[in-house]
Amino acid sequence: MKKTILTSVLAIIIMATMTSCSSVQVVADYDKQVNFDTYKTFAFYKPGIDKAEINDLDKRRILRAIENELIAKGFTKSENPDLLVSIIASSREKIDIYNNYYGGYGAGWGWNPYYYGNYNNISTSTEGSLYIDLIDARKKELVWQGQGVGYLNESNMEQKEERIKEFVTKIMEVYPPGSTKK
């Protein structure tokens, strides 16, 4: 009975840990010589987006989220843009193995045959990475890149769309460089 309770508690702790890892870790890099205030318009860079190795539905979700974020920042979508937007997306399966040994107790440090065991728990999760590249349209040079890494939840379409929005929002929070919104 104790073994079953301990196993259940351990499984709950592991599940809680996995779901608490839902935040997106973000880093950004940029050209310090660029004046980002001069960029007012954008368009999507089709050759770069076509290379992204994700399905077209997820591409459209990501692009809509980026478009919404840029418009909220005061940008305008244009046929003659200042910035070209490209994406790179990838995912990988992570396997975590938890080996938990618990031993019995008896007289002093003796052996107790009713409370002894080894509990292994194997869990898998999908970790995704999304890069958003902003390219100076005139110079055709990368001027800013934001990367978000986090766990993906693909249990249903609504959760998937919300997770994509969260990735894009977190990445775009650090654009333009020096912005204080966190």
Side-chain angles (χ1 to χ4, degrees), residues 48-55 59 87-91:
I49 293 167
D50 286 344
K51 290 179 185 177
E53 295 180 7
I54 56 175
N55 69 55
K59 280 183 192 177
I87 62 169
I88 301 169
S90 65
S91 65

Side-chain angles (χ1 to χ4, degrees), residues 79-141:
E79 294 291 323
N80 187 21
D82 302 321
L83 284 176
L84 296 172
V85 180
S86 188
I87 62 169
I88 301 169
S90 65
S91 65
R92 68 183 178 123
E93 198 72 22
K94 289 188 72 172
I95 299 173
D96 296 313
I97 301 173
Y98 301 95
N99 184 1
N100 298 307
Y101 169 81
Y102 54 92
Y105 55 90
W109 289 98
W111 176 76
N112 182 346
Y114 302 107
Y115 189 67
Y116 179 77
N118 193 16
Y119 174 71
N120 290 318
N121 184 28
I122 299 172
S123 66
T124 61
S125 57
T126 304
E127 182 180 75
S129 296
L130 174 63
Y131 291 84
I132 300 175
D133 293 343
L134 300 182
I135 302 160
D136 184 296
R138 189 175 51 79
K139 296 179 183 177
K140 302 290 192 252
E141 292 177 352

Side-chain angles (χ1 to χ4, degrees), residues 69 72-73 169-170 172-176 178-182:
E69 286 294 320
K73 290 181 178 291
T169 299
K170 293 286 186 186
M172 294 307 294
E173 279 180 355
V174 296
Y175 181 84
S179 64
T180 56
K181 183 184 172 192
K182 294 280 178 184

